[in-house]
């Protein structure tokens, strides 16, 4: 059926140690949106969700950029140009397009960076408001896609936890500075839960909108199993309600979420 | 080969492959991937009178040839199901089985009573075996007396076929199955998941938000076959088997153990279309092992049957 | 890193890796493949007063990530063990655990009493959990009262450390574990195999001569971890964990769940030398996850402990 | 340690549909005896036992000839020259050498034929008593190693269940004829259980000795787990006792066994 298909790997790039970007080709990818993901068959019991790192919708191409963290990503790392991947997708709710009349800030951590690049690629054309990109990583060796941003004329501010590249520390420093300067910024962020929680906390006290792209362990990836939930509004008697990352996300408005 | 299956109280399946409860949502989710009209049936996610919130995430974890889940029976409740899902299901030509749950005997009765009025519901599956919640799950499922009372309550409010879903997490699941049959169950479905857990080494914590979870997938197939075999040889009603089915050969194994139909769950996450290819393969696989029709295989591995034909 | 483990009544293991009963014979069989002196211990095949014949073959069958066996506790009996195997074991520098079985409480007592006189036996593992025989197995293991009586009988005739091996085939294995501890068990080992079965499609018969069998291997690891976790949080004595261990990471999972040592079984059939490589890997794996010594990891995933260190 | 080792595949021959012979090389194979087997690592939970089909002990080489019947043999069929197999072995009790003063008969069925060829190869030199080989198979496509026997000047009498090659029927016809002619023959047989049971039954009534090479599902392959037993003498109150194919066999004297 339409949303389950095989895509050919047409390019493969080892972008950093243990990080690889695969460019996939198949007509079904013409519909992909920034922030959406595909659910990739690997030898394990579950598929692996991966965000699109870049989109070439006219040609039915999309990238996925992954870090090796376990068995499935290790297997994907070994795939070569010419092989096919078995995908479900495009899946989930992507980013809402940014409002062209307000400043725009992208904040990415680790392998949360790829969907932000896809968003930039999609909506950058004719952007004339302030546009910032802050990228965080553990260390210099895990900083990815800076060159891609630069090639689009956008110079990311990089932070590393160990100070081995860019500013020492987390993205929160530059984030707060940017927000002081452009309080009405619309923020799009993706990265580790700790980072998103910090951004979410900081956002509460401010104006501006914030979209967060989340990760959660998934079963089906298509809304049937209720595995991939995160705590969300409204908060009832028993606590927050649970919403599905795979279909109601992965992108949420910050105010929809509870950290 | 005629793949249809006739079950008690006029329940007729096009074929013996039913989507297992909790792995197939309420139907529409997989409709873009599977032609639902080709399935033997769909057992929907467990339904309670009021919405249930479920367990904290993470809710799934991979294990060798298995899957742990601790969904905790999150569901939108009876009213939403009737309002939003039954209209969709009305457009689908397959048997719809309402999987029902409750905190109390009375809650099970409520759901069954209300859904009994819905034409679109073809049968009930009474879930007294979910390991992920205390009430509405294993507390009923491990006590034959409670199993009797729940089944009786459901039986008292419906003329539709009722199956009771049995837990493998006890020494003698057939005692609970027999209690359900004594209370009027028309069928037994088995197995629900095995209680298990995993540790997330990085976080030094149980991997699942619910601490323990239910194990499903190929890893549990030997346990499931044994429970089906034992129940089929002890109770008089049809058994619907499940647990780790991935292929038509697996389906045949369950039939030989005594099942008359099967449910398929976890493998759907990997291969949404697998149920359809299993249906397609059944005639070929049946013939390869010398069976001419579905019923011929039912219980054929039981030791009182004639064996070693080849 | 100091890998030695101190257990009750002076039982000291060089390291926490013990060969699981029934998968390692009486020692000499694997001596050509593994330097036995490097193991933490060996739990020998179950010993009964008189020889047991065991179940009809086939006795093993592969399942997804698992192994079904129905050996049926075949063993040459106490006298042959003393005559033929203890002399060999006397030449080996590792802890020897006598796994004991019987048809009656009295038979368990007999074996323990006699072997208690043997210097070479360092501890007892009382097997009340083998699913492959009716007596001497699960009938004791599923009834806390019987478990108490068997343990008490063994306790009454020996000053050596006694562990009781618990079955996972019931709703609340910790009740049996507690009964054993109440009767004087110094340790609990868990789990024995899960009851399961497979069907041989070609023969249209249960694949195993014993019809049902015991499931072991990676497939059962989630069940084993949960049983160890539950027992460790409920009983006061050390727990020896097992079930599907293949790697030092698996060992750490069992430690975090509450085990103080582990046994390794099924994987040895594939990789006879695996226990040694696990022992070698332990320090590296422990450090990778931030543990400085063995005891630090024991029970660290329990929810009353401090978590998420990273 | 000594008996667990890796052997290189130095030759590979597809001898019949779904049958392949692999020639393995490793110093440990210098000790291999006809009737012994090796326990081969495959991706499944258990190793696969395979008899030696031919021996070149001086060069540390041995063959295994296997039929694809399931996942493990399918995987082995795909192995190529230059790859390595992980083996335990040589394992088990092989054939007792034949007594050069009496006639000798080899009876093989299907993939029971390879160990008989190894026996012939080992003990044929300077044989001057009558020597017979009877090979049975389901059908012509499963008759293996006839040419190997012929190359040694021994012309096997072939039977097939469907009559598609050689005599129609089982090996029992030619066997009984041979035994009528050479009643003092020493017999070595290997094949399906049904065939061995029939030979065993026929042998009871006769003089001469018979060695049977058995199959049984195995766990460890080295005597530790008691999985691989077959019913054997003595018959006690509870029935026959059980003996291990992996260490007390796979070759047994017929009178040791109970069918
Ligand atoms: C919507 C979404 C988009 C993602 N996009 C990317 C991306 O663009 N690049 C990238 O490198 N990673 C991305 N991830 C994370 C990625 O899915 C995991 O790193 C990957 O599944 C790990 O698989 P593994 O087999 O290597 O790890 P293992 O730990 O062996 O996996 C075991 C199980 O846990 C799941 N799992 C492990 N880590 C995660 C995680 N962080 N999030 C969700 N499930 C996890 C796996 O899917 C699998 O089911 C995304 C996750 C989600 C939910
Ligand atoms: C001592 C001995 C020597 C053998 N020599 C040969 C030989 O030379 N050539 C050859 O083709 N076959 C031989 N066999 C049979 C061979 O071991 C099986 O065909 C093979 O194990 C099947 O594995 P599979 O994964 O393809 O089949 P599956 O059916 O997928 O295997 C599942 C399990 O059953 C076991 N099994 C299946 N069939 C048999 C069998 N007939 N005997 C023992 N275990 C079995 C497998 O080892 C495995 O553990 C021998 C068996 C034994 C015991
Ligand atoms: C994610 C998930 C959710 C489940 N939810 C339910 C449920 O709501 N009600 C129920 O009766 N069984 C539920 N089950 C159990 C399955 O219906 C089935 O009994 C079990 O998974 C074994 O089959 P399988 O191995 O094919 O998945 C669930 C299983 C999974 C994996
Ligand atoms: C072939 C086989 C034989 C076994 N025999 C015994 C036994 O005699 N006594 C016993 O206590 N456990 C016995 N067991 C159970 C193991 O000791 C262990 O509890 C179980 O296999 C789980 O561990 P594993 O997954 O590492 O194998 C046996 C297991 C296998 C596979
Ligand atoms: S992963 Fe199944 S609902 Fe989201
Ligand atoms: S296979 Fe283990 S004893 Fe023979």
């Amino acid at each position: 059926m339409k949303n389950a298909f095989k895509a050919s790997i047409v390019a493969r790039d080892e972008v950093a140690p243990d990080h690889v970007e695969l460019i996939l080709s198949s007509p079904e990818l013409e519909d992909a949106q920034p922030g959406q993901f595909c659910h990739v068959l690997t030898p394990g019991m579950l598929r692996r969700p991966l965000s699109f790192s870049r989109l070439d919708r006219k040609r039915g191409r999309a990238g996925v950029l992954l870090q090796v963290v376990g068995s499935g990503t290790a297997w994907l790392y070994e795939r070569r140009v010419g092989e096919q991947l078995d995908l479900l997708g495009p899946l989930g709710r992507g980013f809402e397009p940014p409002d062209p009349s307000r400043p725009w800030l992208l904040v990415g951590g680790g392998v949360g960076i790829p969907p932000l690049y896809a968003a930039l690629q999609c909506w950058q054309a004719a952007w004339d408001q302030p546009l910032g990109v802050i990228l965080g990583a553990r260390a210099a060796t895990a900083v990815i896609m800076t060159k891609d941003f630069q090639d689009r004329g956008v110079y990311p501010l990089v932070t590393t936890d160990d100070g081995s590249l860019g500013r020492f520390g987390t993205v929160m420093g530059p984030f707060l500075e940017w927000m002081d300067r452009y309080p009405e910024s619309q923020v799009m962020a993706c990265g580790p839960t700790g980072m998103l929680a910090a951004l979410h906390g900081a956002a509460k006290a401010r104006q501006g909108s914030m979209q967060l792209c989340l990760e959660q362990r998934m079963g089906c990836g298509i809304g049937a199993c209720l595995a991939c939930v995160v705590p969300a509004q409204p908060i009832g008697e028993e606590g927050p309600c649970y919403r599905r990352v795979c279909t109601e996300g992965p992108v949420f408005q910050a105010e929809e979420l509870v950290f | 080969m005629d793949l249809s299956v006739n079950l008690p109280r006029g329940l007729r399946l096009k074929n013996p492959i039913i989507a297992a409860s909790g792995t197939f949502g309420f139907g529409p989710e997989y409709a873009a991937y599977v032609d639902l009209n080709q399935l033997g049936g769909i057992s929907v996610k467990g339904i309670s009178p009021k919405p249930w919130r479920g367990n904290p995430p993470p809710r799934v974890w991979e294990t060798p040839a298995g899957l742990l889940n601790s969904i905790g029976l999150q569901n939108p409740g009876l009213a939403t199901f009737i309002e939003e899902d039954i209209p969709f299901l009305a457009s689908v030509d397959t048997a719809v089985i309402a999987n029902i749950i409750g905190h109390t005997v009375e809650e099970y009765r409520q759901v069954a009573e209300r859904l009994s009025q819905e034409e679109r519901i073809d049968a009930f599956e009474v879930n007294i075996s979910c390991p992920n919640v205390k009430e509405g799950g294993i507390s009923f499922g491990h006590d034959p007396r409670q199993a009797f009372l729940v089944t009786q309550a459901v039986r008292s409010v419906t003329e539709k076929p009722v199956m009771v879903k049995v837990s493998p997490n006890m020494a003698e699941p057939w005692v609970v199955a027999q209690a359900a049959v004594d209370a009027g169950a028309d069928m037994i479905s088995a197995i629900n998941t095995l209680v298990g857990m995993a540790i997330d080494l990085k976080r030094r914590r149980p991997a699942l938000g619910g601490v323990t979870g239910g194990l499903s997938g190929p890893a549990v197939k030997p346990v499931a076959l044994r429970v089906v075999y034992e129940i089929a040889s002890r109770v008089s009603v049809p058994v619907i088997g499940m647990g780790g089915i991935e292929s038509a050969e697996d389906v045949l194994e369950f039939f030989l153990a005594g099942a008359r139909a099967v449910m398929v769950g976890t493998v759907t996450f990997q291969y949404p279309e697998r149920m359809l290819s299993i249906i397609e393969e059944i005639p070929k696989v049946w013939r390869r092992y010398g069976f001419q029709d579905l019923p011929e295989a039912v219980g054929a591995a039981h030791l009182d049957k004639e064996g070693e034909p080849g």
Side-chain angles (χ1 to χ4, degrees), chain A, chain B:
Chain A
M1 292 235 165
K2 183 165 171 303
N3 307 314
F5 60 96
K6 294 211 161 48
S8 303
I9 302 174
V10 294
R12 176 180 184 282
D13 187 11
E14 297 182 11
V15 298
D18 286 336
H19 288 70
V20 74
E21 185 168 18
L22 304 174
I23 308 297
L24 308 174
S25 172
S26 177
E28 288 81 358
L29 294 169
E30 287 165 16
D31 302 332
Q33 303 290 333
Q36 287 191 303
F37 67 100
C38 54
H39 213 27
V40 188
L41 188 68
T42 66
M45 289 298 303
L46 293 172
R47 289 170 176 261
R48 281 14 186 193
L50 292 172
S51 299
F52 297 119
S53 57
R54 68 181 79 231
L55 300 172
D56 180 351
R57 290 193 289 220
K58 281 199 212 98
R59 292 207 289 165
R61 292 188 169 187
V64 291
L65 193 165
L66 60 96
Q67 180 186 9
V68 176
V69 298
S71 62
T73 47
W75 182 86
L76 286 166
Y77 189 85
E78 296 302 323
R79 295 311 99 206
R80 293 291 176 259
V81 170
E83 295 186 45
Q84 293 201 315
L85 294 181
D86 182 321
L87 304 185
L88 308 183
L91 297 174
R93 175 170 73 153
F95 290 105
E96 291 274 309
D99 171 354
S101 68
R102 290 162 50 205
W104 184 20
L105 176 64
L106 300 169
V107 187
V111 290
I113 296 168
L116 299 175
Y117 178 75
L120 182 77
Q121 207 196 13
C122 199
W123 293 306
Q124 183 188 16
W127 193 267
D128 58 5
Q129 291 287 315
L131 167 55
V133 176
I134 306 170
L135 304 182
R138 271 177 301 102
T141 50
V143 177
I144 52 172
M145 299 195 98
T146 45
K147 180 142 188 325
D148 292 293
F149 284 98
Q150 287 164 5
D151 288 349
R152 305 192 72 87
V154 181
Y155 291 82
L157 199 154
V158 172
T159 69
T160 52
D161 297 351
D162 63 356
S164 54
L165 191 76
R167 266 171 68 167
F168 177 90
T170 73
V171 296
M172 288 311 288
F175 168 75
L176 292 171
E177 289 163 25
W178 175 278
M179 293 304 287
D180 284 342
R181 202 150 145 210
Y182 305 109
E184 301 227 316
S185 286
Q186 46 201 328
V187 181
M188 295 184 187
C190 186
T193 308
M195 175 188 122
L196 298 184
L199 290 171
H200 182 260
K204 274 194 200 148
R206 304 179 167 270
Q207 329 158 270
S209 68
M210 183 182 275
Q211 298 184 55
L212 301 177
C213 183
L214 265 57
E215 287 188 2
Q216 186 53 281
R217 304 208 165 230
M218 291 187 177
C220 65
I222 63 150
C225 74
L226 305 180
C228 61
V229 300
V230 289
Q233 300 288 352
I235 303 187
E237 272 172 36
E238 299 173 291
C241 79
Y242 287 125
R243 290 175 64 185
R244 292 164 298 182
V245 169
C246 71
T247 39
E248 301 172 72
V251 178
F252 293 89
Q253 301 293 335
E255 58 273 21
E256 295 176 288
L257 297 171
V258 178
F259 277 91
Chain B
M1 191 178 287
D2 178 9
L3 292 187
S4 67
V5 179
N6 289 308
L7 293 168
R9 295 190 187 237
L11 179 61
R12 188 182 160 87
L13 311 178
K14 278 181 198 171
N15 62 61
I17 306 299
I18 304 166
S21 178
T23 62
F24 210 71
F26 292 109
E29 297 86 353
Y30 270 109
Y33 301 87
V34 189
D35 177 0
L36 304 181
N37 299 324
Q38 293 187 36
L39 296 175
I42 298 174
S43 179
V44 300
K45 179 80 198 156
I47 305 153
S48 49
K50 298 259 169 285
W52 283 14
R53 192 168 161 259
N55 288 336
R59 289 181 171 182
V60 284
W61 196 266
E62 263 190 11
T63 69
L67 175 66
L68 280 170
N69 88 77
S70 104
I71 309 296
L73 296 179
Q74 177 176 345
N75 83 92
L78 181 60
T80 309
F81 173 67
I82 293 171
E83 209 165 299
E84 294 180 9
D85 298 298
I86 291 200
F88 171 83
L89 290 167
S91 71
V92 177
D93 179 24
T94 189
V96 172
I97 300 171
N99 183 283
I100 62 179
I101 52 177
H103 292 120
T104 59
V105 172
E106 172 55 19
E107 288 193 2
Y108 281 95
R109 200 193 55 74
Q110 272 173 35
V111 181
E113 185 165 38
R114 177 64 189 80
L115 290 180
S116 195
Q117 300 157 28
E118 294 292 329
E119 217 184 311
R120 185 61 273 241
I121 302 302
D122 297 300
F124 289 103
E125 183 177 47
V126 185
N127 180 2
I128 52 167
S129 46
C130 179
N132 290 328
V133 293
K134 293 244 169 48
E135 296 151 318
I138 232 137
S139 64
F140 292 111
H142 285 173
D143 178 349
R145 173 105 199 106
Q146 292 289 321
F148 183 94
L149 293 176
V150 173
T151 311
Q152 194 183 42
V154 172
R155 178 77 290 160
S156 71
V157 294
T158 186
E159 292 300 316
K160 295 191 198 270
V162 172
M163 67 183 86
V164 173
K165 188 163 178 181
V166 170
S167 163
N169 299 292
M170 56 192 148
E172 303 189 322
W174 47 89
V175 176
V176 167
Q178 185 59 54
V181 172
D182 292 343
D186 302 304
M187 291 165 273
I188 297 294
S189 59
I191 59 171
N192 212 315
T193 53
L194 271 166
V195 191
M197 96 185 278
I199 309 282
D200 183 343
L201 294 179
K202 290 181 196 152
R203 292 194 301 118
R204 303 181 173 190
R205 274 290 168 266
L208 296 170
V211 182
T212 62
L215 185 64
S216 62
V220 310
K221 196 182 68 166
V223 174
L225 280 167
R226 184 263 181 159
V227 172
V228 167
Y229 183 92
E230 301 281 6
I231 293 179
S233 63
R234 285 169 159 96
V235 306
S236 53
V237 303
V239 180
I240 316 294
M242 80 196 88
I245 291 174
E246 290 189 300
S247 65
E249 282 84 357
D250 291 338
V251 175
L252 181 54
E253 266 197 88
F254 275 90
F255 266 68
L256 293 180
R260 278 172 204 274
V262 297
M263 297 195 184
V264 175
T266 304
V267 75
T268 301
F269 299 158
Q270 271 178 299
Y271 303 100
E273 73 298 347
R274 180 62 62 87
M275 281 188 280
L276 301 187
S277 55
I278 290 177
I279 293 166
E280 204 182 301
E281 291 270 316
I282 283 178
K284 208 163 58 192
V285 168
W286 246 246
R287 289 200 195 97
R288 184 182 313 144
Y289 291 101
F291 295 101
Q292 301 314 315
D293 58 27
L294 285 187
E296 198 186 337
V298 175
H302 282 258
L303 291 179
D304 50 344
K305 300 271 165 68
E306 201 183 314
E308 311 232 21

